Amino acid sequence: MTDIIQLLPDNIANQIAAGEVIQRPASAVKELLENAVDAGATEIKLIINDAGKALIQVIDNGKGMSETDARMCFERHATSKIQQIDDLFHIRTMGFRGEALASVAAVSQVELRTKRAGDETGTCIEVENSLVIKQEPIAINTGTSIAMKNLFFNIPARRNFLKSNAAEMRHIVDEFIRVAMSFPHIFFSLTSNGAQLFHLEKGTLKQRIIQILGNQYNAKLVSVQENTDYLNVQGFVGKPETAKKTRGDQYFFVNNRFIKSAYLNHAVMNAYQEVIATDSFPMYVLFIELDPAQIDVNVHPTKQEIKFEDEKIVYAFVQAAVKHALAQFSITPTLEFDIDVNIQQSDAVSKPFTQDKQSAAASSNLYQSFTQKNQAHFIDTGKSELKHWKSFYEPSSKPVEEKFEYEKQLPVQSDDSGMDYATADLLGFVKKKKHQFTDDTVFTQLHSTYIIAPVEDGFLLVNQQTAHERILYERYAAALVGRSISIQRSLFPATIELSPQDSAMLNELIPDLLQLGYQVEPFGLNTFVIQGSPADLEEGNEKAAIEHLMEQYKHFSSDVKFSKREKLIRSLAWQHSVKAGRYLNIKEMRKLVEDLLVCAQPNTTPGGTPTYVEFKGSYLQKLFNA
């Protein structure tokens, strides 16, 4: 019997380690940018070709490395930032494990050029598959330039798992923004395939936020500044009107390191609880500074998840800091204390408050409920001056009279059923309806939200928004696999300008949007022209539709079970569906219900929400003991 356990060769061990550190091009971008920051650079340039698959290059003007350090930096666990075990608990640098460059060299062809300020010549090293194949002195400016070429060239299986260029570029932009946001005093630039996407001059944090997230935040940022003995919280939060339906512009940094924390996000959401809708998400860029001994940053390979020694204290400070900032800038709800001139003339103000009046006021239930001990929030349930308080909150019975051309938002009819059967054939729809309606069938709208449709033995209670969402979803799904939706060219095309990360996302969606009736073309840096929209939609709202589509599409971005096309058609179906509160006439209600019942799966939306509930006659009889 021979021994079977053996040490792995260095190149294989490095590739295994690289699987943790370098998962995609964006992972390498993060590691290289952090190293440049740690080198004390004031200017950092990132150059990308083919979404990082062909080239990732970072050029900085930092302190550079000696010839020996340049060779040593590619060894595993080689670092200048840790000398003893206690150093792990006082980490203030970005990269510290000594695995980044070793992992980079294991999965790509690397060229390193570096020089220190006091050296006459620099050093050039080429590494391939963890082996140094070239080393020579060169003339170079002080600083470091490291280029990764042909990522995963020696691991074809890993390369095949990479997403499309647009998707990978979006991840690169995200990592670039996170590093650039935390160091506004450093110049950053990002160039992709020869086009410069970012040119971020040195400045204040507010200037950096506006440079990255857009000028729309210029007058809508609230400063957060709280200093305590335990930690400091500073940064900016958005005013309530900047809240969006998706978690887009939300950044937490702990000791200048970007982190993801659902726990701290909940603290911010609690601070906004009374000023934004429950389904909206505020914008924030918050920096938490505390003793490194109070946190553990090495609990995850990407270092984006950390552990606090006392999470509850950090939660309380963050929530209090945001609440204080909103209150200080009069963002939270306040009472209006300006007194009307007419009030000054009223009897209650102008006439004296006599002893009789004081006694009458003191004996009232209202006075007692607010003056008795521990009764500050007590309201008398008996007869009192407050007995009609609920009437202020009763909904109005007045119907919503706003009308709209509902027919424009539904599929093109090809027969009396109201469904395009060319579309139905592509999806394998069952053309036979479960319920039939006669010309005498009367449809009723309830609260401008529900439709009551009588059937043979009972009635259907249809939710107009979820029903329309199901109809549009199946229509768009058919358009992506068969006949495209017809496009109506715009006489005056709308121009839309997006943030760089949204721009990368829209570039990825352009081919599928064309199938769905939106003709969108790039027009310069982060700018697009909407040349056409679906022919059955009303003109004039193309720009808002695309903006809302992007927000809704990002809502699904964290759910890996959805494909890109699935996210897109779900987003469009929700975006274009008729919303609750819209008045529908009899013809529109009939068409909506009939189109729903010929869908392949009429009873739920794509997300599983019911579209209608059926009440059968037997059930109704039981309700009344008939």
Side-chain angles (χ1 to χ4, degrees):
M1 298 291 289
T2 59
D3 298 331
I4 59 174
I5 297 178
Q6 57 184 341
L7 288 174
L8 290 172
D10 287 344
N11 62 325
I12 297 179
N14 285 342
Q15 286 186 13
I16 294 173
E20 282 189 346
V21 182
I22 311 298
Q23 300 172 354
R24 62 192 333 152
S27 307
V29 167
K30 172 182 180 294
E31 300 290 349
L32 297 182
L33 288 177
E34 289 181 348
N35 281 345
V37 170
D38 287 341
T42 58
E43 292 186 5
I44 301 175
K45 299 176 183 178
L46 173 61
I47 301 172
I48 301 294
N49 282 342
D50 195 21
K53 300 171 187 176
L55 174 68
I56 299 173
Q57 184 175 11
V58 173
I59 304 172
D60 69 66
N61 65 345
K63 57 187 177 183
M65 289 181 280
S66 67
E67 181 179 357
T68 303
D69 287 345
R71 183 72 177 258
M72 281 291 294
C73 70
F74 291 106
E75 299 297 327
R76 287 193 68 196
H77 307 305
T79 178
S80 62
K81 298 154 189 173
I82 296 176
Q83 305 296 331
Q84 53 190 0
I85 190 65
D86 287 344
D87 294 341
L88 278 175
F89 304 102
H90 301 86
I91 293 294
R92 287 200 175 271
T93 54
M94 302 294 289
F96 58 87
R97 293 175 305 172
E99 294 180 12
L101 292 183
S103 298
V104 164
V107 293
S108 65
Q109 299 164 329
V110 180
E111 181 185 72
L112 172 67
R113 294 168 171 260
T114 185
K115 174 182 170 294
R116 295 182 301 183
D119 296 339
E120 294 183 0
T121 60
T123 303
C124 175
I125 295 180
E126 293 183 10
V127 183
E128 185 174 312
N129 201 18
S130 298
L131 298 175
V132 176
I133 60 175
K134 181 181 178 182
Q135 179 174 347
E136 62 182 10
I138 57 166
I140 186 178
N141 293 330
T142 300
T144 301
S145 169
I146 183 166
M148 288 178 57
K149 303 175 183 176
N150 301 322
L151 184 64
F152 298 135
F153 78 101
N154 52 350
I155 316 177
R158 290 285 299 278
R159 192 176 179 92
N160 292 338
F161 274 97
L162 294 178
K163 304 297 184 183
S164 66
N165 279 7
E168 294 297 343
M169 194 62 207
R170 195 166 70 246
H171 286 287
I172 290 173
V173 169
D174 285 343
E175 293 293 353
F176 175 85
I177 285 176
R178 291 165 183 172
V179 177
M181 190 83 81
S182 43
F183 298 98
H185 61 279
I186 300 177
F187 167 86
F188 284 91
S189 69
L190 169 57
T191 303
S192 174
N193 296 330
Q196 191 173 69
L197 302 183
F198 285 94
H199 184 92
L200 307 177
E201 295 289 351
K202 305 174 188 177
T204 63
L205 175 59
K206 183 176 182 179
Q207 290 171 334
R208 181 58 55 90
I209 291 172
I210 294 170
Q211 286 175 330
I212 292 176
L213 301 183
N215 287 325
Q216 70 269 22
Y217 287 115
N218 193 14
K220 298 179 180 179
L221 294 178
V222 176
S223 176
V224 178
Q225 183 75 46
E226 291 289 340
N227 297 325
T228 69
D229 293 337
Y230 186 78
L231 59 78
N232 299 330
V233 181
Q234 61 179 350
F236 291 90
V237 295
K239 293 182 179 179
E241 61 264 30
T242 65
K244 298 181 179 179
K245 297 297 182 182
T246 55
R247 307 174 183 271
D249 305 327
Q250 298 183 334
Y251 298 89
F252 263 121
F253 300 90
V254 174
N255 293 347
N256 277 350
R257 183 189 305 278
F258 173 80
I259 66 161
K260 295 178 180 178
S261 174
Y263 188 67
L264 293 184
N265 178 72
H266 189 268
V268 178
M269 294 297 293
N270 265 353
Y272 275 90
Q273 194 170 16
E274 298 177 359
V275 294
I276 64 173
T278 55
D279 60 345
S280 297
F281 300 93
M283 168 269 172
Y284 59 78
V285 179
L286 294 175
F287 289 78
I288 301 172
E289 185 180 352
L290 75 168
D291 185 351
Q294 304 291 333
I295 58 176
D296 184 0
V297 299
N298 203 27
V299 297
H300 193 273
T302 64
K303 295 173 286 187
Q304 289 183 1
E305 297 177 14
I306 67 174
K307 284 187 177 180
F308 294 95
E309 187 176 39
D310 193 333
E311 283 188 324
K312 292 182 179 179
I313 291 180
V314 180
Y315 182 100
F317 276 128
V318 169
Q319 180 178 342
V322 175
K323 269 193 172 183
H324 182 232
L326 293 175
Q328 187 176 5
F329 286 87
S330 302
I331 303 299
T332 51
T334 57
L335 294 175
E336 181 58 68
F337 290 104
D338 290 341
I339 300 179
D340 193 300
V341 177
N342 296 325
I343 294 178
Q344 301 286 356
Q345 311 301 325
S346 65
D347 291 345
V349 175
S350 60
K351 293 185 177 180
F353 195 35
T354 63
Q355 288 290 336
D356 293 340
K357 290 182 179 180
Q358 291 181 32
S359 300
S363 62
S364 69
N365 290 331
L366 180 62
Y367 178 86
Q368 292 177 5
S369 67
F370 281 93
T371 56
Q372 293 176 10
K373 185 177 181 181
N374 300 324
Q375 296 294 309
H377 301 289
F378 172 77
I379 295 178
D380 190 358
T381 56
K383 294 182 179 180
S384 70
E385 295 89 334
L386 301 179
K387 62 183 178 179
H388 300 301
W389 68 273
K390 288 186 178 180
S391 63
F392 288 102
Y393 300 96
E394 293 295 337
S396 173
S397 59
K398 185 178 179 181
V400 179
E401 295 296 335
E402 183 183 3
K403 298 187 179 182
F404 66 107
E405 296 185 13
Y406 173 71
E407 293 87 343
K408 285 188 176 182
Q409 302 187 41
L410 290 177
V412 179
Q413 297 186 35
S414 56
D415 64 9
D416 294 337
S417 73
M419 189 65 183
D420 179 1
Y421 281 141
T423 298
D425 288 339
L426 288 168
L427 292 178
F429 286 176
V430 179
K431 297 180 184 179
K432 184 179 179 180
K433 299 178 185 177
K434 181 179 179 182
H435 299 289
Q436 300 289 336
F437 302 106
T438 65
D439 293 339
D440 298 330
T441 303
V442 178
F443 295 84
T444 306
Q445 190 178 28
L446 182 65
H447 298 313
S448 298
T449 301
Y450 306 100
I451 300 171
I452 300 175
V455 293
E456 297 82 4
D457 184 27
F459 66 90
L460 303 180
L461 183 63
V462 181
N463 184 311
Q464 64 189 41
Q465 179 174 343
T466 58
H468 194 202
E469 190 175 339
R470 163 54 65 178
I471 295 168
L472 292 178
Y473 172 81
E474 297 198 356
R475 177 191 174 196
Y476 294 145
L480 286 177
V481 298
R483 188 179 67 183
S484 302
I485 295 176
S486 56
I487 298 175
Q488 177 175 291
R489 298 275 296 188
S490 302
L491 286 175
F492 303 99
T495 302
I496 181 171
E497 186 173 351
L498 301 173
S499 63
Q501 53 267 52
D502 285 349
S503 176
M505 183 185 298
L506 186 55
N507 269 315
E508 183 183 3
L509 298 177
I510 283 177
D512 289 330
L513 283 173
L514 187 61
Q515 288 282 101
L516 297 171
Y518 283 99
Q519 185 176 353
V520 182
E521 299 175 356
F523 187 71
L525 184 62
N526 302 327
T527 304
F528 298 84
V529 175
I530 307 172
Q531 299 284 8
S533 58
D536 54 356
L537 289 183
E538 186 177 354
E539 273 193 282
N541 298 320
E542 298 87 354
K543 182 177 179 180
I546 293 294
E547 289 175 342
H548 291 153
L549 168 65
M550 299 295 292
E551 284 300 310
Q552 189 65 19
Y553 182 83
K554 285 187 284 188
H555 174 72
F556 296 110
S557 63
S558 60
D559 204 329
V560 294
K561 70 182 180 181
F562 293 145
S563 66
K564 178 187 70 175
R565 288 189 165 190
E566 178 73 9
K567 295 175 190 175
L568 179 60
I569 61 177
R570 286 195 181 200
S571 302
L572 272 177
W574 182 89
Q575 170 66 22
H576 291 159
S577 59
V578 57
K579 301 299 185 287
R582 289 282 193 170
Y583 170 82
L584 302 180
N585 59 37
I586 299 296
K587 180 180 177 182
E588 291 169 335
M589 287 188 280
R590 173 186 290 273
K591 180 169 175 55
L592 179 63
V593 175
E594 289 182 341
D595 285 354
L596 174 67
L597 295 180
V598 295
C599 286
Q601 190 175 341
N603 55 334
T604 64
T605 66
T609 305
T611 57
Y612 70 89
V613 178
E614 183 174 359
F615 291 84
K616 294 188 176 181
S618 58
Y619 173 73
L620 297 175
Q621 290 174 359
K622 288 181 181 179
L623 288 177
F624 296 99
N625 297 320

